[in-house]
Amino acid sequence: MRVAVIEAAALGAAVCLLATPPPGAPVPLAPATAAAAATAATAATVAAGPGSAVPGEDAPAPIRNWPGERLAEGLTLYRGTLGDPSGPGRWTVTVTGGGKPDRLLDAAAAAALARRLAAAGFEPEVETITAPGYAGVPGGPLGRRIRVGGYGTRAAAAALAERIEKAGFTAAAEPAGQDPVELEPDGGLRAVVRVAVLDPRRYRGEITATYGRALARRETTTSMAREHGAILAVNGGYFVMHRKDGLPGVPAGIGVYDGRLESLATNGRAALLLGDRPRVARLTTEMTVAAGGRRREIDGVNREPGKIRNCGGVGGDLPTEAPRHDVTCTDPSEVVLFTPALGGATPGGDGVEVVLDRDGRVVRQRGRGGPIPAGGRVLAGIGEGATWLAAHARPGTRLAVHQRVLDETGRTVDLGDDDVVNGGPELIRDGRIHIDVAADGVYRPEDPGFLYRWAIRRGPRVMLGIDGHGRLLLLVADGRQPGYSDGLSLLEGARFLLRLGARDAINLDGGGSVTLAVRGRLGNRPSDGTERTVGDAILFLPPAREDG
């Protein structure tokens, strides 16, 4: 039995370009450490696609020789492959204590499992996983994993996994390329990416966000793109996927569309503000309802009362009011505001609802579950929230709803008619990599291994950066498709955006949601094998036609 310690060590804040190669040649990268230089053969190569060779004089240096398509004046889409697409890759077998292969073990469980494997005649390797390069993570390991063997083909690894399974263990053949080079030096990197570069000084179109026809209804990115005539579109923020976690389709974090706040923030988490000058900011929302001299906090907007997806709410949510990605917090006493954007009836259940007209006057009280009047709103209360509404929001009473969106400096954000899409974690701040996974809820103290499987392992990603000239850098990486594209870790994506010149950057919804639409047609290869319906999308609309 061999025990190894493998750290997810950062290769450095920046991986710099050595030289601009001739068209079609690999782009060599300079690793930041000697150890990485000895183990990592990381390069960017160009995969020519149909359609369009466009000179890239204005493109960032790392993609200047990539083939591109000019979608509009000031908006060009490039396609390339990061890493070495010619290598066969490496396959290994991950053995677990009965869970999925991306689940880590604690020290005692890993040692016991390794002893059992060795006694059965196998040669396990216990690897300790840490996470330098990600801020907000306490010292020490995230956990351990056990691997056996290394092969050049999937078939060979699968044969070993079958032998291990027959011996009474849980095993899976996995491509080593799912892990970044820090964890798997021999795994290689193969990531097919698209990069859209938008220069606001030349682009005369509009960048906006849409939830489609209804907030509580999932739609595909391509359908939303076609509906609005978008030149380019990409899936947007996190959203509720399953009914057990709330209302499917609604944002799991802040959602602002045409200046209307339709979902409250995961307080303190990074978000993307669109408009004339897009930016990344950590946002907090405050909302209250007042009846006469009585005032109460509003806990949420357009979501299931009592369920807060990704947490980060107010009013005593459990287990925490801090952001917790992919966790649904609960609160038995809430008041939630519903608007016509919901697109249907409010959810039923115990509690009270009050229906407001367009002037904020209470039209009637009712049980939970019913239509939202055009131009009006509905307040739903459960627990103490229901008691408050029943006492203070009687028919004829005029209610005043107040809201504020604050950035991390405490300044009020003027929404105007702009849009805000939730996301996180923040990737780059002021020209330096800054991935605070604790502040953005990706590091969970009660489940440290979540960081490994969600952020450190490679996967499909959507990331958006803003460079020093105000240009938008949209990075879309396919992933989880061995032999085609493994994807990127958060750190790898941040490094590449930094090389492209990003001064600030944010991660948006990834995984099976990753979808790029080019003129209404699918422009990438989603990891689910088909396009997923999502909550909202970011649209790049063409310039408005001028009459005459």
Side-chain angles (χ1 to χ4, degrees), residues 385-454:
T387 302
W388 192 95
L389 288 176
H392 304 294
R394 296 177 178 173
T397 304
R398 187 167 184 173
L399 304 184
V401 174
H402 300 279
Q403 68 178 46
R404 286 204 305 168
V405 179
L406 306 173
D407 65 18
E408 56 198 287
T409 69
R411 295 177 181 173
T412 299
V413 176
D414 181 8
L415 298 178
D417 59 357
D418 292 338
D419 307 288
V420 181
V421 173
N422 73 73
E426 181 182 20
L427 300 173
I428 299 172
R429 178 187 292 188
D430 297 328
R432 303 187 65 175
I433 289 178
H434 180 78
I435 310 176
D436 192 334
V437 291
D440 278 306
V442 176
Y443 174 74
R444 304 176 186 168
E446 70 280 5
D447 181 16
F450 179 78
L451 177 63
Y452 164 70
R453 57 185 182 265
W454 193 88

Side-chain angles (χ1 to χ4, degrees), residues 289-388:
V289 56
R294 304 288 185 172
R295 185 181 299 271
R296 194 203 186 277
E297 195 168 51
I298 292 177
D299 298 87
V301 177
N302 290 319
R303 67 162 171 80
E304 180 84 28
K307 294 181 178 180
I308 308 94
R309 186 62 172 168
N310 288 344
C311 304
V314 295
D317 301 344
L318 296 174
T320 180
E321 290 186 5
R324 282 288 186 279
H325 190 75
D326 279 358
V327 171
T328 300
C329 284
T330 60
D331 186 346
S333 295
E334 287 198 317
V335 170
V336 172
L337 176 70
F338 290 97
T339 73
L342 187 71
T346 61
D350 294 337
V352 171
E353 286 185 348
V354 295
V355 180
L356 311 180
D357 64 17
R358 64 180 64 251
D359 296 321
R361 198 172 302 279
V362 178
V363 177
R364 63 182 177 279
Q365 290 188 355
R366 69 186 186 196
R368 281 185 54 213
I372 303 170
R377 292 178 289 183
V378 172
L379 285 167
I382 60 172
E384 175 273 330
T387 302
W388 192 95

Side-chain angles (χ1 to χ4, degrees), residues 235 238 454 459-462 477-480 508-515 524-528 532:
N235 62 286
Y238 304 112
W454 193 88
R461 308 285 180 188
V462 173
D478 287 339
R480 295 179 189 161
L508 299 175
D509 191 14
S513 297
V514 172
T515 309
N524 72 315
R525 286 170 56 172
S527 62
D528 288 351
R532 174 185 290 179

Side-chain angles (χ1 to χ4, degrees), residues 12-15 428 431-433 493-503:
V15 182
I428 299 172
R432 303 187 65 175
I433 289 178
R495 290 190 194 117
F496 186 59
L497 282 170
L498 196 67
R499 291 182 51 232
L500 294 177
R503 297 285 302 171

